Amino acid sequence: MAPTRAATLTDVAAEAGVSLATASRALNGSDRVVREELRTRVVEAAVRLGYTANAQAQAMARGSTDVVGLLVNDIADPYFSTIAAGLAAAAEEQQLLVMLCSTGGRPERELEFLSALRRQRGRAIILAGSRTSDRRHLGEVSRQLESFIGSGGRVAAITQPRLPVDTVVVDNRGGAHALATELAGLGYRRAAVLAGPEPLLVSRERRDGFVAGWKAAVGTDPVCVADDFSRDGGHRAMTRLLDQAPDVDCVFAANDLMAMGAMATCRERGVRVPKDLGLAGFDDIVSLRDVTPALTTVRLPLADMGRMALELVVGPPEDTLRRPKVKGEVVLRESTPARR
Amino acid sequence: MAPTRAATLTDVAAEAGVSLATASRALNGSDRVVREELRTRVVEAAVRLGYTANAQAQAMARGSTDVVGLLVNDIADPYFSTIAAGLAAAAEEQQLLVMLCSTGGRPERELEFLSALRRQRGRAIILAGSRTSDRRHLGEVSRQLESFIGSGGRVAAITQPRLPVDTVVVDNRGGAHALATELAGLGYRRAAVLAGPEPLLVSRERRDGFVAGWKAAVGTDPVCVADDFSRDGGHRAMTRLLDQAPDVDCVFAANDLMAMGAMATCRERGVRVPKDLGLAGFDDIVSLRDVTPALTTVRLPLADMGRMALELVVGPPEDTLRRPKVKGEVVLRESTPARR
DNA sequence: CTGAAAGCGCTAACAC
DNA sequence: GTGTTAGCGCTTTCAG
């Protein structure tokens, strides 16, 4: 059957025998009050006609939408999907719709999405881990964001404090520092770090925090190997590490994904965790619950971070940049038992 | 600073000294051709003014949008997030925007999203595992979908063949049947099934397929215990199973999440997998890579399923219902070694 | 409390 | 080729 033209507000008004304005006021909220009798007449007419407001038309007339954009690196990564879940729940409470973009790390994709959101006149955009370091690209992003903000849009970021926007910041340094202290206290003596890509701030902070903590506690410098912030990256880094420095007794991977990759390397190489080697990660992603041995990590309240980011973009804008902080909590598990 | 009014096409036209129509044709595509000279003039004016088309206005004038909705149960569940990733990638290729809704299993949320998408005049909506069985609710959903379709919207589902819409269907029965056959071939003799909620079709299909396969191969009826389709559900079900029938030698959990829960129960109870008990799941979610022992499962091409679903809603609509099928592939791993 | 009418920004006939 | 103009569906002054 041919798509029947959807009923419009005009239709409803006619059906109810009232003016367009009254129908609008009765149906789609307004400070104005409509007499109860008319009101019900309109509502009934609307139901009879199966009326659904046209959000586009409303957006145009009102000059604002209910859409917030969420930009993540990879929605299949549990780190991001948990953040997304938290954000989605908060968005629901605020009656906002979430537009999702999983960039797969491609900078051009990021820019496309920003511009799509400008076109959509989105109300806000939330950047979760825009993993880039290319200055040129970062410049472009800033430019896009500026004009988005300039035309009334709100922006918040999660752990990307390089952009001049409200940001949920994670105390990476402190978390990693605390972890190093704990590990040293457990009796480990020869540590290594599997860091993420050097240009990534998060990665540097975690590495530096760990190194500082370790130095303070043990007095030595951990070996550092860098690779991608992914499971495969962890796998490769660990392989190189075992070749370079087979005598380490504990390894800190800059995120859980890398730690899982490292664990896989250990299995392949016959290195027993935690017998031969203590291993720790960072983030406490949900899938960690099911790895064996259970992995020591620094827990981040991921879902809350999504929530917080959304809260940054609703409510009245503030003059000053906000940077709510979340701390990581060291969670010791089987992968790093006390070394006697 | 006050949000400066964004430049409109009218502004651009004025700046370029051409008519509105020409500006529109030059900027936002059209079959009409614009003389090169004017064209560049318009483009330059647009750049100068920082013009961004207003998607709302375009949608209204054109009568269609570039938005597709994706409805999932829980975006933090790796099953859904992997599907979402596949779908997002495909959407990008089609220049479509993805509106995400993570319902958390709440039926009312599902309906709200459907109606939001109608309001948005979304082009299509994809339902991934709308996990419900309530007839009343299903009726409401159908009604919403019908009017969505009636007004030109497209709908596709993933593994929810109860709705009269194009659906990516999974051969749950066949996959589970094949798994049962393999397990029997490996020498297992006393099987149990941790099924999902009885009302869920997927759950019944997997259970029935396994039972049928097992019966054909071994001749007996597996014990069945049902619970939620989640990690916790698997944990509870396994607990009950161990109490009821401690002598089973292999367990099939209706999805990987339940299998992981079951594995946790085993760890707590001191039941060794696979020594005391073989264990298998279904889906092959990505986090499975890192559990020990590696879990036998039936692999589903999750990202592809997201892709396929999107393909169902782009391109010309067909008269007949389409039901592309995907098969599961049995992947034997450490959790089910041969029983001698 | 209700109605008439002026837009919101853009596209697509329809003329020239 | 290019310009004019009539909508798209709704909100919101501005008058009654």
Side-chain angles (χ1 to χ4, degrees), chain A residues 131-170:
Chain A
R131 298 283 168 83
T132 197
S133 52
D134 180 19
R135 287 184 62 83
R136 212 173 89 67
H137 172 63
L138 214 61
E140 296 261 357
V141 170
S142 296
R143 220 181 334 283
Q144 281 276 2
L145 290 180
E146 257 162 44
S147 38
F148 183 72
I149 295 172
S151 54
R154 305 283 296 271
V155 178
I158 299 181
T159 65
Q160 175 77 326
R162 279 204 278 208
L163 261 16
V165 299
D166 288 352
T167 302
V168 176
V169 318
V170 171

Side-chain angles (χ1 to χ4, degrees), chain A residues 9 24 28 32 51 58 61:
Chain A
L9 192 55
S24 169
N28 307 325
R32 299 291 227 230
Y51 170 74
Q58 289 184 313

Side-chain angles (χ1 to χ4, degrees), chain B residues 131-150:
Chain B
R131 298 283 166 83
T132 198
S133 51
D134 180 19
R135 288 183 62 82
R136 209 172 90 66
H137 172 63
L138 214 61
E140 297 261 356
V141 170
S142 296
R143 217 178 341 281
Q144 281 276 2
L145 289 180
E146 257 162 43
S147 39
F148 183 73
I149 295 172

